[in-house]
Amino acid sequence: MIDGMSERKIALVTGANKGIGYEIAAGLGTLGWRIGVGARDAHRRDTAVEKLRAAGTDVFGVPLDVTDDESVAAAAELIAGHAGGLDVLVNNAAITGGMPQTATTLEPATVRAVVETNVIGVIRVTNAMLPMLRTSASPRIVNMSSSVGSLTLQTTPGIDMGAVPAAYLASKTFLNALTVQYVKELGDTNILINCGCPGFTATDLNGFQGVRTPQQGAAIAIHLATLPDDGPTGGFFDDAGTVPW
């Protein structure tokens, strides 16, 4: 650790070049944290870093394609070398797979692509960053999920989740289940791991049809990233509280 970095929290946000991810990075940055802006598109990543720096945020770009083993490994090396460690990981990067998307019309290739990013990508990144998180005094993992992945809400009469892409919906249910397994395995550590739902947020992921701003959507991730040491783990939350599994 150099330049007092041991006293400054370091966070990595995947998919941080735009939308909710960008606002998560911006929000954590206002706390005086050092933020790794993870994104696979170099131009968008550089643009986001420049904009955040102009606003006074301490950020650095992290070339990161969550679907690529070598890219994820290189990102972990970059963070270790550049920041000296990691305190918080926000797994935000995700794709929908396009619309319309119903169970009876799904192409297997679409499901593979969505799961590769939304679930396997989380596994890649989390496992690569775990050695650094284990050495943090107050490590946190935030998996950005969605209430559309709630089996309880999906099967409750009278609740209409709207025209949600089937593969995307299933990938978030998968992510929720995976999060529970991480919590169970890492239960004897000080790592707090939770899922967060940003709500129906207007981003390019949904063609900007949401009713919430990206800043509003980022609030739950910022909350879960800054939980106290006695905070919850293994939960699924939105701004209103607990989301049913």
Side-chain angles (χ1 to χ4, degrees):
M1 299 285 190
I2 57 175
D3 297 331
M5 289 180 189
S6 60
E7 298 179 1
R8 178 184 300 179
K9 288 188 179 294
I10 310 296
L12 169 65
V13 183
T14 69
N17 59 296
K18 58 182 178 179
I20 294 172
Y22 176 89
E23 293 299 340
I24 295 170
L28 293 176
T30 62
L31 303 176
W33 292 19
R34 195 167 196 215
I35 313 298
V37 176
R40 61 183 177 179
D41 186 292
H43 176 69
R44 288 179 176 175
R45 183 178 62 248
D46 292 345
T47 299
V49 167
E50 290 174 6
K51 185 177 177 181
L52 287 165
R53 282 179 179 165
T57 306
D58 184 359
V59 296
F60 59 99
V62 181
L64 179 58
D65 180 348
V66 302
T67 69
D68 183 87
D69 291 339
E70 292 184 2
S71 174
V72 173
E77 290 183 7
L78 185 153
I79 294 168
H82 192 76
L86 187 68
D87 300 292
V88 172
L89 169 62
V90 181
N91 287 306
N92 168 75
I95 63 172
T96 63
M99 292 279 278
Q101 197 184 97
T102 62
T104 58
T105 61
L106 273 178
E107 293 290 338
T110 298
V111 179
R112 291 190 190 100
V114 172
V115 171
E116 186 69 51
T117 295
N118 299 3
V119 181
I120 300 175
V122 171
I123 296 172
R124 277 196 190 90
V125 176
T126 300
N127 291 353
M129 304 302 162
L130 265 176
M132 288 186 286
L133 290 168
R134 286 179 182 274
T135 65
S136 169
S138 299
R140 309 284 181 264
I141 298 174
V142 181
N143 292 333
M144 291 302 284
S145 185
S146 172
S147 60
V148 301
S150 166
L151 292 177
T152 299
L153 295 178
Q154 283 289 342
T155 56
T156 298
I159 295 180
D160 181 11
M161 305 299 285
V164 181
Y168 175 78
L169 179 156
S171 77
K172 293 305 182 181
T173 306
F174 194 167
L175 176 62
N176 291 348
L178 177 68
T179 301
V180 171
Q181 296 309 306
Y182 271 108
V183 172
K184 293 171 79 171
E185 182 178 350
L186 299 172
D188 61 348
T189 74
N190 63 341
I191 305 175
L192 302 185
I193 309 170
N194 293 287
C195 286
C197 172
F200 190 28
T201 303
T203 68
D204 61 358
L205 195 74
N206 56 31
F208 299 96
Q209 296 179 27
V211 297
R212 289 164 60 85
T213 67
Q215 189 173 32
Q216 290 173 322
I220 187 61
I222 295 169
H223 170 69
L224 295 174
T226 57
L227 287 173
D229 290 341
D230 62 351
T233 190
F236 186 12
F237 304 97
D238 63 12
D239 287 351
T242 301
V243 180
W245 295 112

